Amino acid sequence: MQWVLAATLISGASVFTSCVDNSIDNPVVPEPGEPALPDHFVNEALMDKTVKPGDDFYMYALGTWFNSHTEGDPGYMEYYDSINSNEVEKSLFASDNPLAQHLVRNIEAPAPSLNEDVKAVLDYLDIQKPTGIGMLLTEIGKLQDKGQNPIFSKRVDMHMQTHSCQEIVSSGIQTKTVESLLESKQTDALKSYIKYILTTIDKVADPERTKAEGYEAEFEERVSAILAEEQLIYATAHGGGDTSDSDRQGLWNVRDIPDYTEVRSFVRSRATRAGGGVKDEVTQETLEEAFHPMAGAIFDESPAFKKYMEQKGGITTVLKTMDNCYDYLRYYAVMSVFNYMKAIYAGQSDGNVKSSIVSELERTSPFLMNKLNADVLRKMGQAGADRCLTMLEKLRTVFRQRIETLDWLSDATRQEALKKLEAMQFYIGVPDNLSEGEFTLDEGNTLVEDALSIIAQNEAIRHNMCGKKIEQQVRTIIDYEIDYSMQNAFYNCEMNCLIILPQIISEGMFPADDEYTQYVVATVFTHEMTHGFDAKGAKYDERGYLRNWWSSESQAKFEAKQQEMIALYNRMEAYPGQPADGKKTLAENMADYGGVTLAYSLFKQKKMDEGLQGAALDYACQEFFLHYAKLWLQYPTLDKKKLLYLIDNHSIPQNRVNVIVTLFDDWYSLFNVTDGKLYLAPEKRVQIW
């Protein structure tokens, strides 16, 4: 299950030393009916009024800040993310929870050598060299039972037809580091990782082999085989490697399985996995014999997996020798906990090493870390939770009113959209009680052994979801899968629910005494709300089932509007010389538009209800747009922009502001925009909601 809609670039958390200029007074909101105006904008310290709003509104709103800050400054939201993340980390290290204290002792302990950590992994998992396909599948099964998923995965997944959680046998699941390197096209870097790990494995497990004649040539072939397997798994998971036209990228976990079998109907023992009748080649029948009856897993019948199995140069080629398989299993095991090996952080500060490892723990087992950090996170989001819920319900009302009056929706489609909106559930902050599930760690473990144990226990806990309907355990799924310490919000299609995490409603991000900031942060809430109705989310119904609820006429109009959105972003640049990819970022761009549409509508109506009119109302509305720009304030380096272009489905911050504002007629009148690079004729201003 993929939850996070924003791409993460950092394998370990960093402590930011530079920050935004926060010496800005809170806005003075005029009393109802009072026409007097302040003599300056609240955000004037950030603005560069030498820039025409119609040429670059982002720099008009923030240019002075950019001129006084250096490239690489994390900006507004990441500033608060750093503050809050540090608070959570300090709480963990000061905790009296025995499990937290155990982890902290191992995090702070002297670093073992890389050889020692690699040996610990090999000893802990006891991977045997397979002599045939039956034994290979047995070894893979042993690793799967410990939460490892090399070559083939066996994971808990959702299915749209039954809306239940089941075990799925599919292609291997790559480690986050490998996936990030392939996504950012850093093949050489991945090859270096493979060489580094494989060399260490050889030194630890078979030092005599490294001295044998012909070792170097043989070594290169082994590295190439591992790289080929990683590339194949990645290409299978990403529709052949090109995600731009892949519907399955947006429809998470959707598979072409006509019938699902309940997991609990299987009773045969896993011990028979290698059964003597297994053929000496990997085929679908072989896998069914090895995994389907024995573990109660459902076989992935998707075209992508069949291609993984059958294509020339595919998995049957990669697995042509047991030596290749043995190499890959051991390499994968080491890579799965590589970021816990403190030797790789040599030369870094103790603080950065601790933060990196804590970040990896949060990624490896969100559920465990949610339990350990629950108190501080609950307190962090406590003040803003009620205000957030109240605002979400008001925003739902605004959205309902807009859907009711849209002239491009058929009546039947309108009623389906309203049903989906009404059924959407909101989960805010940390619940009073987290779901069941406990972890234990052996006293003599090293940090790497702790990580291996946590991965295995996390897998066992997640398997408690098997055979249950999603709607029976929404809160459990969220607790297991979401890292509550992130500064983020999420919409999940399969559960039709919106999740707002504590950081984003903390006092710094969602301040009680700063109404403008509250309403622009609300654009993030409504961004997620309208994900349920973007190009991908609109394919799911009010229960979270994959079902087409659109009339053909409304669908055609909706798709035409999407094409207009794509064209608007294609005219922008992701970085100098590189056109933006409006198709890749379509869903996020639509959500940005939806978020600002609803939040601005609610904000403006509130100001009018307070009695503001004329110049006073204009001033308040100007401040809304200026604060929206400030929300996305950051100064990424050129290298980061290039990386984001490859791996992020969001537009760069400058485009998130500059394109969205041009879709609002009010923006043109408020800032007297009649021409400029951003100017759109009225008929070109896409209107969806």
Side-chain angles (χ1 to χ4, degrees), residues 75-259:
Y76 182 73
M77 281 201 284
E78 290 193 33
Y79 168 73
Y80 286 109
D81 185 16
S82 177
I83 291 174
N84 289 327
S85 295
N86 286 341
E87 184 178 340
V88 174
E89 186 177 313
K90 287 178 182 178
S91 174
L92 177 71
F93 278 78
S95 174
D96 58 4
N97 180 292
L99 205 60
Q101 291 178 338
H102 173 103
L103 287 169
V104 167
R105 282 197 300 272
N106 275 345
I107 292 171
E108 294 180 333
S113 69
L114 186 65
N115 285 9
E116 289 172 325
D117 272 342
V118 169
K119 185 177 186 304
V121 173
L122 300 181
D123 289 347
Y124 193 95
L125 295 175
D126 189 29
I127 303 166
Q128 300 297 307
K129 183 174 182 178
T131 57
I133 294 299
M135 186 176 177
L136 168 64
L137 296 178
T138 298
E139 292 303 305
I140 293 173
K142 282 166 52 181
L143 290 173
Q144 288 173 335
D145 292 343
K146 295 179 180 179
Q148 308 276 328
N149 285 284
I151 305 178
F152 301 111
S153 69
K154 188 187 66 177
R155 58 181 174 178
V156 178
D157 218 331
M158 296 184 187
H159 186 254
M160 295 305 99
Q161 278 93 348
T162 66
H163 222 228
S164 60
C165 294
Q166 304 286 7
E167 273 190 344
I168 303 292
V169 174
S170 187
S171 58
I173 301 175
Q174 291 178 308
T175 65
K176 187 64 178 176
T177 300
V178 171
E179 186 178 37
S180 297
L181 289 171
L182 288 174
E183 193 171 21
S184 57
K185 304 188 186 304
Q186 298 183 64
T187 307
D188 289 342
L190 175 55
K191 194 170 183 179
S192 296
Y193 269 105
I194 295 170
K195 286 183 174 181
Y196 187 44
I197 291 173
L198 198 57
T199 298
T200 308
I201 290 172
D202 284 350
K203 288 179 180 178
V204 168
D206 193 1
E208 293 302 314
R209 183 177 191 175
T210 63
K211 304 172 187 176
E213 186 177 351
Y215 172 76
E216 291 185 3
E218 176 194 57
F219 181 79
E220 288 297 326
E221 291 180 3
R222 293 162 63 202
V223 170
S224 296
I226 291 175
L227 180 61
E229 167 66 5
E230 295 286 34
Q231 290 173 320
L232 182 62
I233 292 174
Y234 181 83
T236 302
H238 293 78
D242 177 9
T243 63
S244 59
D245 294 315
S246 175
D247 241 6
R248 297 189 67 208
Q249 279 302 102
L251 304 179
W252 306 317
N253 311 314
V254 174
R255 294 180 168 81
D256 306 321
I257 305 176
D259 297 299

Side-chain angles (χ1 to χ4, degrees), residues 613-638:
Q613 56 185 321
L617 178 62
D618 286 350
Y619 167 77
C621 292
Q622 286 173 322
E623 281 287 6
F624 176 92
F625 285 107
L626 292 168
H627 276 73
Y628 178 68
K630 178 185 171 184
L631 183 69
W632 300 112
L633 176 65
Q634 60 175 262
Y635 199 166
T637 64
L638 179 59

Side-chain angles (χ1 to χ4, degrees), residues 3 113 156 210 262 277 460 502 541 565 590 624 636:
W3 291 78
S113 69
V156 178
T210 63
E262 289 297 323
D541 67 14
M565 288 288 285
M590 290 179 70
F624 176 92

